[in-house]
Amino acid sequence: MSNTTPKRHLWRDIHVFDGLRTLPESMAVITEGSRVASLVAMREFDEGLAEGCIDMGRGGVMTPGLVDCHTHLVFGGSRADEFEARLEGVSYEEIVRRGGGILSTVTATREASEDVLLELAKPRLQALIADGVTTVEIKSGYGLTVEDEVKMLRVARRLGEALPVRVVTTLLGAHALPPEFQDDSDGYIDLVCQEMVPAVAREGLADAVDVFCEKIAFSVVQCERVFEAAEAHGLPIKAHAEQLSNLGGTAMAARHGALSADHIEYLDEAGIAAMRDAGSVAVILPGAFHTLRETQQPPIAALRAAGVPMAVATDANPGSSPLFMPTLMLNLACTLFRLTPQEALAGMTAHGASALGLKEEGRIHEGAIADLCIWDIDTPAALAYAVQPGRLRQRLFQGELTHAV
Ligand code: NIG
Ligand code: FE
């Protein structure tokens, strides 16, 4: 028989942020195989435990592998021209009305083959991995035909096979109205409900279903139909809601038990109460707020007071958030929205995992999955404080060292 003894890694004198809080003492951490085996205060550490362990060094900060719970990483084309137009004062809504915005990415994504989309997405995902991500959600939503949405989700699944990262996929068929359905948005929603959702459910290609509930996208009534179709196929739901106006999409999504409502700059008290009652996660996306030069702040203090968990994600996409750096989002969540550094970090670990319906990821405790980042910093807050690539000393994915400097 081959040697099946699982590998053991040991860190000494390390500050641990466990997904929700920073542990009060300097710790020793041991992983065994794909799990965290022991987590002990340094002053109680017995050197006998070190036997058989690979010495991974001393000092620094350990966090769970980062969870980026909202991205649109698979797409064709570029929207640099639109960036320039927006700088000249053309609004995001106006660009969409002119047939640009999401639809320009739809054209380029439809034209690209599955293999081309995979190659385009790889470096984007590698950038997230290099910044500490071990779990990433990837949405469709730039295909808008059954075939092209399926193609995008296949690319997302293949990314998870090609790179050392857990990929969670989301069908976002109701992202924008495709040109073929220009005057028939209900007809397009019929297609999403009757063909798209069943097709991706049949092939096991989506872990959840998302919608864009907005004046420039789909109404609350239309989004609710998509949720009913998702429910009929046993798929959890989430929503882009209250990003540009307050339509009540979040409250409706919460009534359907949404995992999360995302953006939510315009969310009101009723929406916050609905999220609290449903246990939905508020996904805060400072990259889109920053890129769109939004001025309406998400209701952070009210969410905090209501005890609604807040996640933080990149929303990495070619239009509203061409920002592929999760740790920058920690910084922006603090500087733009006044999250505390601990809240921001919890938002990209434990609460990010909750926004994906994952109970095990994004946390460090004995028995946890050994998705871990070790950073060359003194305190967890420093991760949000400075925007400084290169501080990731080690990254483990399911107990395997995938990055070391
Ligand atoms: O999350 N809000 C809608 N969807 C994306 C934008 C996608 C795009 O502009 O291509 C978002 O911001
Ligand atoms: Fe988004």
Side-chain angles (χ1 to χ4, degrees):
M1 237 175 82
S2 63
N3 179 6
T4 53
T5 312
K7 232 184 260 172
R8 287 164 64 85
H9 296 101
L10 164 66
W11 292 264
R12 291 183 181 86
D13 282 318
I14 195 156
H15 293 289
V16 176
F17 177 84
D18 73 359
L20 292 172
R21 61 190 67 81
T22 302
L23 303 185
E25 292 185 60
S26 180
M27 305 296 287
V29 183
I30 296 176
T31 62
E32 181 169 327
S34 63
R35 297 276 164 177
V36 174
S38 34
L39 187 62
V40 289
M42 207 49 215
R43 66 185 165 80
E44 289 170 8
F45 182 71
D46 171 356
E47 276 302 326
L49 283 172
E51 202 169 316
C53 289
I54 303 166
D55 186 345
M56 301 295 282
R58 287 176 190 271
V61 168
M62 176 182 282
T63 68
L66 302 184
V67 179
D68 191 352
C69 71
H70 181 141
T71 86
H72 309 248
L73 280 187
V74 175
F75 59 86
S78 157
R79 306 243 291 273
D81 53 345
E82 177 187 315
F83 176 63
E84 292 183 307
R86 274 192 288 103
L87 291 175
E88 282 160 19
V90 186
S91 74
Y92 188 57
E93 285 99 324
E94 179 55 28
I95 287 167
V96 172
R97 277 190 214 99
R98 290 178 187 177
I102 293 172
L103 288 183
S104 86
T105 301
V106 170
T107 305
T109 303
R110 285 178 176 180
E111 281 167 6
S113 70
E114 198 177 305
D115 288 345
V116 165
L117 289 174
L118 181 74
E119 291 312 311
L120 289 171
K122 265 187 200 165
R124 300 173 194 139
L125 182 51
Q126 273 156 344
L128 302 190
I129 289 172
D131 204 35
V133 168
T134 52
T135 298
V136 63
E137 183 256 20
I138 302 179
K139 300 176 194 297
S140 65
Y142 294 123
L144 312 184
T145 65
V146 176
E147 202 184 36
D148 290 304
E149 290 291 299
V150 162
K151 175 176 76 175
M152 288 188 70
L153 292 170
R154 285 213 181 98
V155 172
R157 286 278 192 241
R158 284 174 66 188
L159 285 165
E161 288 155 18
L163 296 169
V165 65
R166 185 177 300 98
V167 172
V168 175
T169 60
T170 303
L171 172 69
L172 178 55
H175 192 197
L177 187 63
E180 319 72 272
F181 282 87
Q182 199 159 30
D183 297 308
D184 185 17
S185 66
D186 284 328
Y188 180 65
I189 292 296
D190 290 341
L191 176 79
V192 173
C193 295
Q194 291 161 20
E195 296 186 37
M196 240 177 234
V197 171
V200 304
R202 199 165 47 237
E203 294 194 41
L205 281 172
D207 301 310
V209 172
D210 196 349
V211 297
F212 187 15
C213 188
E214 195 54 68
K215 285 181 208 145
I216 56 169
F218 299 100
S219 70
V220 174
V221 170
Q222 290 172 325
C223 293
E224 186 159 29
R225 289 183 53 211
V226 176
F227 290 161
E228 283 161 2
E231 283 158 16
H233 288 84
L235 290 169
I237 56 139
K238 46 179 57 230
H240 285 72
E242 270 67 69
Q243 181 187 5
L244 307 169
S245 60
N246 179 10
L247 295 188
T250 300
M252 183 277 291
R255 279 200 302 280
H256 283 267
L259 289 173
S260 69
D262 303 36
H263 290 288
I264 57 163
E265 278 85 344
Y266 287 81
L267 188 64
D268 59 13
E269 282 295 337
I272 293 170
M275 291 190 79
R276 179 201 56 215
D277 294 347
S280 303
V281 177
V283 179
I284 305 299
L285 301 169
F289 179 96
H290 161 78
T291 301
L292 299 179
R293 301 168 61 88
E294 179 60 68
T295 53
Q296 173 80 22
Q297 291 261 332
I300 300 298
L303 288 164
R304 187 186 286 132
V308 175
M310 291 181 277
V312 176
T314 60
D315 195 14
N317 77 65
S320 66
S321 189
L323 306 170
F324 300 82
M325 189 178 181
T327 55
L328 170 63
M329 299 305 139
L330 299 177
N331 176 273
L332 292 179
C334 297
T335 49
L336 296 175
F337 299 151
R338 305 183 67 185
L339 267 73
T340 67
Q342 304 267 335
E343 283 176 324
L345 204 41
M348 212 172 254
T349 52
H351 297 319
S354 298
L356 299 177
L358 301 175
K359 303 209 164 33
E360 288 207 67
E361 288 75 359
R363 287 167 188 268
I364 298 176
H365 53 80
E366 290 185 357
I369 298 172
D371 289 351
L372 302 170
C373 290
I374 293 83
W375 308 89
D376 280 322
I377 50 180
D378 296 331
T379 65
L383 204 54
Y385 155 66
V387 179
Q388 187 179 344
R391 295 177 299 173
L392 182 63
R393 185 197 301 166
Q394 294 152 342
R395 172 188 182 273
L396 278 89
F397 178 61
Q398 297 178 329
E400 289 294 323
L401 186 65
T402 61
H403 167 98
V405 292

